[in-house]
């Protein structure tokens, strides 16, 4: 992930915005659940200026047959799987 990437989050607890525009600053934790790669990252919402850490977000999936990593589209809107709190 590029550190300057912008992630749009909805149904999140990152900040007060309905849809947060989070400028990612770096990974905090990375996890693998079965074939799904997830991560939490620190960032700042460019709408309200809140700095926080995201809930778990799906980064992509690994195809079990080919072991190829398929990344999610970072330009879509993402919903955290579960929040960190
Ligand atoms: Zn915000």
């Amino acid at each position: 992930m590029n550190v300057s990437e912008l992630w749009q989050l909805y149904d999140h607890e990152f900040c007060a915005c309905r849809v947060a525009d989070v400028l990612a600053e770096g990974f905090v934790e990375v996890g693998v659940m079965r074939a799904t790669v997830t991560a939490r990252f620190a960032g700042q919402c460019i709408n309200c200026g809140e700095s926080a850490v995201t809930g778990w977000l799906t980064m992509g999936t690994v195809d079990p047959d080919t072991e190829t990593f398929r990344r999610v589209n970072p330009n879509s809107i993402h919903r955290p799987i579960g929040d960190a709190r």
Side-chain angles (χ1 to χ4, degrees):
M1 178 173 83
N2 296 325
V3 284
S4 60
E5 231 164 49
L6 195 63
W7 289 71
Q8 286 193 299
L9 309 180
Y10 76 96
D11 198 9
H12 65 90
E13 296 178 15
F14 188 86
C15 64
C17 301
R18 195 179 65 82
V19 176
D21 288 315
V22 178
L23 193 61
E25 289 164 355
F27 286 114
V28 174
E29 285 183 82
V30 178
V32 179
M33 297 191 307
R34 298 205 180 107
T36 304
V37 179
T38 58
R40 297 172 60 209
F41 52 83
Q44 184 173 29
C45 175
I46 61 170
N47 291 324
C48 66
E50 178 82 22
S51 288
V53 174
T54 67
W56 289 99
L57 295 165
T58 302
M59 297 288 111
T61 55
V62 178
D63 188 310
D65 296 325
T66 62
E67 295 188 355
T68 306
F69 181 68
R70 269 196 297 243
R71 197 165 185 266
V72 296
N73 179 3
N75 297 322
S76 62
I77 299 184
H78 304 273
R79 184 178 175 278
I81 298 164
D83 229 291
R85 292 178 205 178

